[in-house]
Structures are given as structure tokens and as C-alpha cells.
Amino acid sequence: MNNFQYSRATDIADAIRLLTADPGAKLIAGGTCLIDLMKQNVERPSRLIDISRLPLRDIKETADGGLRIGALVPNSDLAYHPLVEQRYPLLAAAILAGASAQLRNMASVGGNLMQRTRCAYFYDTATPCNKREPGSGCSAIDGLDRNHAILGTSASCIATNPSDMSVALVALGALVHIAGPSGQRTIALTDFHRLPEDKPHIDTNLGTGEIIAAVELPPHSFARNYSYLKIRDRLSYAFALVSVAAALELDGNAISEARLALGGVAHKPWRSLEAEAALRGRAATPDHFSRAADLLLHGATARAHNRFKIELARRAIVRTLIQAASATPQSQAHKKIA
């Protein structure tokens, strides 16, 4: 373990001050991702800033009927919160599809959004990786790329974002409230994570000294016609090969509103406004779902070992939309542990 300093932030302003003063510092709350990276010598922070005691654990209704979720709300608490279970079951299902119960108990909402890729080459410090060391190269491009991205890739990186929660939040149109040295700002979650381009070491659009304060869900919750499907190598505690968050608003069998997002296929949760627009006003049929899948996967590029992902994603999209349209969401086979 490398030497590092430890500070406990007394409030949000103190956390921002400490983070701004030390470019090598990292925030820590549950630590479910960061501690692993430190053990592997991937992350070597000069200082850990403990924000676990900041007052960011509330889940409150907003004036317009949405929900504001504090950045330190544990994933389990969020998934089992009555307002989330009733109004945003898509989000609850996505959270329960991720990690283990023990990790969900520790992991925070903000930490989930900030987690790094689970690319094996990123974790292996003996191999070149542009995310660890910019300009060193991407070992995955000519390596074992089975779990890697098929959308939004670049010559610098083909890693994927591992979050299940983020996929549902993107589909629901969530906002991220950010606090920093220049005050507060809000951005759409679709704009929070970055594609790799030529700077894959920068995962998000957070600025220097900025931290996540809360996530806000809009009033439109899609509480009836939704489904979250996660396809992985084993049922539990595995990252997605492909995941799909689908939400529909139906008028009879006609689609009046549609939301669709993919996980496990890109450096960020992947949403296509064009695919959603193609569903609006259409009948909820497999043919129209297949057309939406083609639009969502437009530009997908396979490599040596992950060609199967394109067809897998296409079939998963159609299946998830069928489940959403029939109000028979995919069961995640998880139970609450008291």
C-alpha cells in the first residue's frame, strides 16, 4: 500500500476546498471501487478525503413531483425506498441487478456514478493502458476484447462503463447536481460520462474540485411499462455483457413515449434519441422494436472476440421492449435481506 494522507470533510465546502488544494486527492465514501484500485496499485491517491459523514443521505420529493437523491444514499437504501419501488421500479431493478448485497449496502449513489471501468488491462499494471497512463496504448484493442465496447470506441480505448444504475438513470432522464469552487450546477446524466476519444483517462465531465451532491429524477417515472434486462456470464455478481433499460408509455397498443438505454456496450450508458423517436406513435410490436434496436446499434463495431455482442444486444433490446410493453418486467431474482 502506498502512503497517503487522510482527511475527513466537515461539510461540502470543506470537501471542495480539500479536493481543490490537492490534485492527487480522491474522495471516499463506501470505497467499494477505490479501495480495490488502490490495492491493485492502479489508483495512488496522495490523500483520501472522507465524505461519508456529509449530510447527503436524504431522498426527498421535489416540488414538481420528482425525486432528489443525495449522493451518499447507499444503493440498497435507494433500491428499497418506497418511493423508488412505487414510482421508479426501473431504477430499483437495475440497482438490484448489480454487484452483491454486501456491496450494494456500502456503495453510494455518487460512487456508483464515479466507478472506473472493470477492464482487465486497466487493472493489470504490467500492461499498457491509456486510462492509467495516457499515451501508453490500449492493450485491449489487440487483446482479449470479449467484454469490451462496440459503440463509441476510439483508437485510444474500448473499455465499458460497468454501472447498472446509470443505465436506468439515463433512460429515466436523470439530472446530476454538482457542487464546486464556482458554485452549483446541474447537468443531464447523459452528459455526465464521457466517450473515450483521445482522453480515456477522463471518465466524467466533473471539473477540478467538483463533487456530486445529488441526483434528481423527473416526475415521469414509467412505473408500469418498464423492464431492465442484464445479460452476463453468471446470474449474480457479474458485470453486463449487455444490459437494456426500456420504459414505455402506452395508449392502448400505441407508444406515446419511449425510453431506451444500453449498458455494457460503451464507455458511457448508451441512449439514442433517434431510436426512441422511431417508437413514438407506433404500435408496440416486435417489428417496430427491431427497427428501434437497429437505430440504437447504428455504428456498432465489433473486434476479434466481441462480435457476438451486436446480435446479442439487438435481441436483448427487442426482448426488453416486449417485456415493457406487456408490463412483465424481467425478474432479477433478488430478495431484500433484513
Side-chain angles (χ1 to χ4, degrees):
M1 181 70 75
N2 297 294
N3 291 327
F4 59 87
Q5 301 297 312
Y6 170 85
S7 299
R8 180 180 295 171
T10 57
D11 54 29
I12 295 175
D14 187 40
I16 293 169
R17 180 184 62 80
L18 290 168
L19 194 57
T20 304
D22 187 348
K26 295 286 183 180
L27 300 177
I28 188 167
T32 56
C33 181
L34 179 58
I35 297 301
D36 282 347
L37 292 171
M38 291 173 66
K39 289 178 178 178
Q40 297 289 335
N41 209 32
V42 175
E43 291 279 11
R44 303 179 64 181
S46 57
R47 179 182 300 271
L48 291 182
I49 303 170
D50 185 349
I51 60 170
S52 62
R53 289 169 174 78
L54 299 187
L56 299 174
R57 291 179 175 266
D58 291 334
I59 300 176
K60 297 179 178 179
E61 293 185 83
T62 59
D64 63 356
L67 215 59
R68 183 182 171 103
I69 303 158
L72 292 179
V73 173
N75 287 183
S76 291
D77 289 6
L78 181 59
Y80 294 123
H81 193 280
L83 290 177
V84 175
E85 289 184 317
Q86 294 164 17
R87 298 186 190 176
Y88 304 94
L90 175 61
L91 175 58
I95 293 171
L96 294 177
S100 65
Q102 293 88 344
L103 287 172
R104 293 195 299 268
N105 289 340
M106 288 296 297
S108 66
V109 168
N112 191 300
L113 296 185
M114 292 297 295
Q115 64 182 308
R116 308 296 305 274
T117 183
R118 291 320 200 269
C119 171
Y121 297 105
F122 173 64
Y123 270 76
D124 183 2
T125 56
T127 62
C129 173
N130 287 320
K131 292 183 73 66
R132 274 188 286 101
E133 186 179 346
S136 63
C138 175
S139 298
I141 286 178
D142 293 318
L144 296 175
D145 53 42
R146 180 176 181 271
N147 296 327
H148 288 73
I150 55 174
L151 289 163
T153 61
S154 75
S156 298
C157 182
I158 58 172
T160 58
N161 184 294
S163 174
D164 288 287
M165 184 183 76
S166 293
V167 181
L169 288 174
V170 162
L172 290 168
L175 302 174
V176 183
H177 294 279
I178 296 167
S182 300
Q184 299 182 0
R185 65 185 180 101
T186 301
I187 63 173
L189 187 56
T190 50
D191 298 323
F192 181 78
H193 296 102
R194 293 168 47 93
L195 290 178
E197 299 176 334
D198 60 350
K199 295 180 180 178
H201 59 292
I202 305 176
D203 291 333
T204 74
N205 284 312
L206 279 182
T208 302
E210 289 189 325
I211 69 172
I212 300 169
V215 172
E216 182 180 339
L217 291 169
H220 201 162
S221 61
F222 300 94
R224 174 173 170 78
N225 295 101
Y226 72 92
S227 190
Y228 185 78
L229 174 63
K230 180 178 183 179
I231 299 175
R232 44 193 160 173
D233 286 325
R234 58 183 186 274
L235 180 61
S236 65
Y237 198 27
F239 298 104
L241 292 170
V242 172
S243 63
V244 186
L248 301 172
E249 193 75 31
L250 298 179
D251 182 6
N253 193 46
I255 301 169
S256 57
E257 184 59 86
R259 300 290 177 82
L260 199 55
L262 293 180
V265 297
H267 201 256
K268 60 184 289 184
W270 194 262
R271 182 181 171 190
S272 167
L273 299 181
E274 184 181 6
E276 294 172 0
L279 288 170
R280 295 189 193 104
R282 303 287 185 177
T285 65
D287 285 345
H288 291 139
F289 296 159
S290 182
R291 170 60 178 159
D294 290 340
L295 290 171
L296 190 59
L297 292 167
H298 178 72
T301 302
R303 306 196 71 83
H305 307 288
N306 67 355
R307 185 168 301 278
F308 73 97
K309 270 196 173 190
I310 298 177
E311 180 62 16
L312 179 65
R314 192 187 70 80
R315 291 171 181 258
I317 293 164
V318 173
R319 175 178 164 183
T320 311
L321 284 167
I322 289 173
Q323 292 172 342
S326 60
T328 54
Q330 179 77 14
S331 171
Q332 300 300 336
H334 288 285
K335 296 181 178 180
K336 182 175 182 179
I337 298 176

